[in-house]
Amino acid sequence: MISTRSLQFTFALVFLTSLFCLVHYPTQQGSPLATTSASESLQLQFSEAEQTKPSRRRHVAIATAFPYHAEVYGALAWAFNRYFHSEKQAGPNSVRIYAEDTEFVSLIMKLGLLPGSIMHPAGAEGLIADVRSTILFPDDPGAMIDVVALGTCEFDLWGLGAELLQAWDERPTDKKFMLVCGTHNGKDAVWKPKSLAEWSKRGALRLLTISDHVSRHFKTQLEEWSDSKDPDQRLSFFEYVKVDAFYPVSDFTNFPLPDKSGGPKVPCTGLLQGGFEKSRRDYDRIFFDLVRLLREDPTGWGYRWSGAERKYLPDASAPNPPFVLHLLGWSRQLLEIPQELERVVVKDVDFNMSDFYTFVQSMDIVIPGFSPEDLTRQASSTIHTALENRIPILATRAMLEAYPPVAGVPSIVRPASLSEMEAIGLLRGAKINAENPAINFKDLGNLASSGKHDCVGPAEFCEDVRAMLQQGWKRTQTQWNQHLESVWKRNEITIGRILKDI
């Protein structure tokens, strides 16, 4: 069993996105919020010249001394390995991980995504020795590690940066390696300019995160540093640092995935994943909404009020099973659940890795509950947990812009004027009320079939609600397969850019 703290790495915030992927979202007829498929929204193609350009780099070392984020660097190792075993790369190649053994990496090894020989001892000593070695690859005489990817750069550069830089300087010009810096948080500004400057001056740095909005944040920051009044920053050549997108979504097809073709017609389980700190997830808003919506229509949510216990209890006579919101995170002592919701909201902790993924895959819907920073300069791996476990996620237009991989199949798109719990209520067929008494939501549930156009608010709002209800929340495995292939194809192009020095 892992501790509550150990679960943190499953909720890691990581990695930057691409300068090359400013995604446009054309809409389908009928709804301003209807989205394109992933194959359209994730388009990033090589030019003809880039496509024929051979890879300059063939031997990858992924290293970290940080105890979390294995679900990110494990997926990155799989993506490199997948690229090398495709027709895109001929000749000797290798992927090595220098890190402590983790349950996640062990799990994807069992799934056949990574070979057992990929792991190497964590720490500077073994990594630096191998980076300096010219006899590491018997099938590729004289070849050296030519990509070093740091899993959590803001942490790993402190321990590895100086020795790696010395090893880089010692190499001849034609043997230089590229440092791929996994940066996790746009608001963490303490380490960045000074720590990255020496690598930037050498033209040996790329940045990598998991979200397009953080990519845009870093792109802006790099431009500001490049034009700084401080000559040390301006002459560090930050404008030439490339920023790449990588979506850490592993292939769990062989886990195996549960069959969800049957089951209830309405969503009965929701997952909110992340730390129990209110600064990271909007728990107060979610609890407030649940309480007022349950008071409006407890039966629609599968509950009845118990005056004796002062809480909502499951109602066996309700037309559908009760809805249960599962909170999966750490620091559970930081969050108190209101008494009346004690049977509606459950805090789940202390899963081992296999049980964690089994549990996540049993959910019907992922509820982000994001703070504003999760859509501006900080990324959440909740998105990628939902994707690889094939759980649809409630999303707004802003979320689609921040996280292109959720466009299409994975998203249940709600207008932002409709809260997450209000959207769940409508999908269950429950009566909902608006937080503002002047706004009447009572007819929204009829929009999927009635075709009414006289509901509250602008016509576009009603069209968006209608599209959400008509789209529903269930997806087929065929839909998921096609979508995830397009995500992995997008990652493959990113890996190709790194290996080709594009």
Side-chain angles (χ1 to χ4, degrees):
M1 303 290 284
I2 58 176
S3 68
T4 56
R5 189 177 177 214
S6 298
L7 278 175
Q8 290 184 53
F9 76 80
T10 313
F11 318 125
L13 310 170
V14 231
F15 278 32
L16 246 176
T17 61
S18 173
L19 312 165
F20 310 102
C21 188
L22 295 175
V23 182
H24 174 65
Y25 296 96
T27 56
Q28 298 171 358
Q29 186 176 4
S31 171
L33 285 185
T35 62
T36 63
S37 67
S39 59
E40 295 170 318
S41 67
L42 294 175
Q43 282 182 0
L44 176 65
Q45 301 294 333
F46 287 126
S47 68
E48 186 173 344
E50 290 171 343
Q51 196 165 11
T52 58
K53 183 178 180 178
S55 295
R56 286 193 58 194
R57 306 183 185 280
R58 303 191 309 275
H59 298 289
V60 178
I62 299 171
T64 187
F66 197 61
Y68 309 114
H69 304 155
E71 79 286 359
V72 175
Y73 66 75
L76 181 63
W78 173 59
F80 273 112
N81 210 43
R82 191 172 189 252
Y83 187 95
F84 283 144
H85 285 83
S86 72
E87 296 179 359
K88 305 290 188 302
Q89 177 72 42
N93 51 69
S94 66
V95 183
R96 304 159 73 90
I97 298 177
Y98 294 80
E100 298 290 347
D101 291 334
T102 66
E103 285 189 286
F104 181 83
V105 172
S106 295
L107 177 61
I108 61 175
M109 283 180 182
K110 291 178 182 177
L111 296 177
L113 304 187
L114 294 176
S117 59
I118 200 170
M119 295 301 296
H120 297 268
E125 184 176 351
L127 172 67
I128 300 302
D130 286 352
V131 167
R132 286 192 165 108
S133 176
T134 59
I135 57 171
L136 201 59
F137 309 108
D139 61 340
D140 198 2
M144 303 176 74
I145 289 172
D146 45 26
V147 174
V148 177
L150 298 183
T152 306
C153 209
E154 55 264 52
F155 180 89
D156 293 320
L157 266 184
W158 290 111
L160 299 172
E163 289 185 86
L164 281 172
L165 194 65
Q166 184 179 348
W168 192 96
D169 286 342
E170 291 170 356
R171 290 192 180 194
T173 302
D174 63 344
K175 295 290 186 180
K176 301 296 189 185
F177 62 86
M178 180 63 66
L179 183 72
V180 176
C181 200
T183 58
H184 289 232
N185 194 336
K187 69 178 183 180
D188 185 359
V190 175
W191 66 282
K192 289 179 290 196
K194 180 176 284 190
S195 300
L196 299 178
E198 294 304 318
W199 294 97
S200 180
K201 290 174 184 176
R202 289 161 171 78
L205 176 68
R206 302 182 79 114
L207 300 183
L208 194 70
T209 83
I210 59 172
S211 70
D212 292 60
H213 63 286
V214 179
S215 174
R216 290 188 287 270
H217 173 85
F218 270 88
K219 172 61 175 172
T220 299
Q221 198 160 67
L222 289 167
E223 290 171 349
E224 291 174 356
W225 295 343
S226 299
D227 200 24
S228 171
K229 293 180 180 180
D230 180 348
D232 288 338
Q233 282 195 20
R234 189 175 66 255
L235 296 176
S236 294
F237 308 105
F238 285 119
E239 66 183 298
Y240 301 104
V241 175
K242 294 182 173 65
V243 185
D244 300 291
F246 175 73
Y247 308 129
V249 179
S250 298
D251 184 359
F252 276 76
T253 305
N254 297 325
F255 187 68
L257 295 160
D259 181 8
K260 291 187 175 181
S261 57
K265 296 181 179 179
V266 300
C268 296
T269 53
L271 175 65
L272 200 163
Q273 180 200 18
F276 291 148
E277 298 94 341
K278 291 183 180 180
S279 62
R280 292 301 320 281
R281 298 291 182 267
D282 197 358
Y283 293 108
D284 288 339
R285 169 62 182 270
I286 286 171
F287 293 163
F288 174 81
D289 276 352
L290 269 176
V291 168
R292 67 179 180 83
L293 293 170
L294 280 162
R295 288 173 181 171
E296 173 78 7
D297 184 13
T299 302
W301 292 84
Y303 289 93
R304 62 178 177 83
W305 174 251
S306 170
E309 298 192 37
R310 308 299 301 169
K311 65 183 67 173
Y312 290 96
L313 301 177
D315 184 356
S317 65
N320 293 302
F323 176 80
V324 179
L325 175 59
H326 294 268
L327 309 182
L328 186 56
W330 65 94
S331 302
R332 64 183 300 167
Q333 73 278 1
L334 298 178
L335 184 68
E336 290 189 15
I337 296 172
Q339 180 180 342
E340 53 198 305
L341 297 179
E342 286 177 352
R343 296 291 297 275
V344 183
V345 180
V346 179
K347 288 190 281 189
D348 297 283
V349 293
D350 291 331
F351 290 105
N352 65 34
M353 191 54 56
S354 181
D355 289 343
F356 168 82
Y357 281 99
T358 298
F359 173 78
V360 170
Q361 290 173 7
S362 72
M363 296 291 102
D364 292 334
I365 289 178
V366 169
I367 300 162
F370 285 165
S371 68
E373 285 193 339
D374 287 303
L375 299 178
T376 53
R377 58 179 182 172
Q378 190 168 349
S380 172
S381 62
T382 290
I383 296 293
H384 310 99
T385 299
L387 283 169
E388 65 191 2
N389 289 286
R390 305 181 181 215
I391 312 300
I393 186 166
L394 274 176
T396 59
R397 181 184 289 110
M399 192 179 301
L400 299 182
E401 292 173 353
Y403 300 92
V406 303
V409 169
S411 55
I412 302 166
V413 185
R414 64 177 176 90
S417 302
L418 196 70
S419 76
E420 290 170 321
M421 290 300 102
E422 289 166 351
I424 294 287
L426 287 178
L427 290 166
R428 287 184 58 89
K431 300 173 185 176
I432 69 167
N433 54 55
E435 190 174 344
N436 183 343
I439 304 296
N440 185 2
F441 277 179
K442 69 177 184 179
D443 291 329
L444 287 181
N446 299 322
L447 285 175
S449 56
S450 69
K452 283 188 64 175
H453 292 281
D454 58 347
C455 79
V456 65
E460 292 87 351
F461 171 73
C462 299
E463 291 170 4
D464 288 343
V465 174
R466 181 182 295 110
M468 180 189 77
L469 295 175
Q470 290 177 341
Q471 179 194 30
W473 60 280
K474 289 194 174 185
R475 309 288 185 264
T476 67
Q477 290 300 338
T478 298
Q479 288 175 309
W480 280 113
N481 290 341
Q482 293 173 346
H483 180 89
L484 290 174
E485 281 295 337
S486 65
V487 174
W488 297 329
K489 174 66 176 177
R490 174 62 177 74
N491 281 344
E492 182 180 286
I493 293 172
T494 293
I495 296 300
R497 288 184 179 276
I498 293 171
L499 296 175
K500 293 170 184 270
D501 279 353
I502 294 173

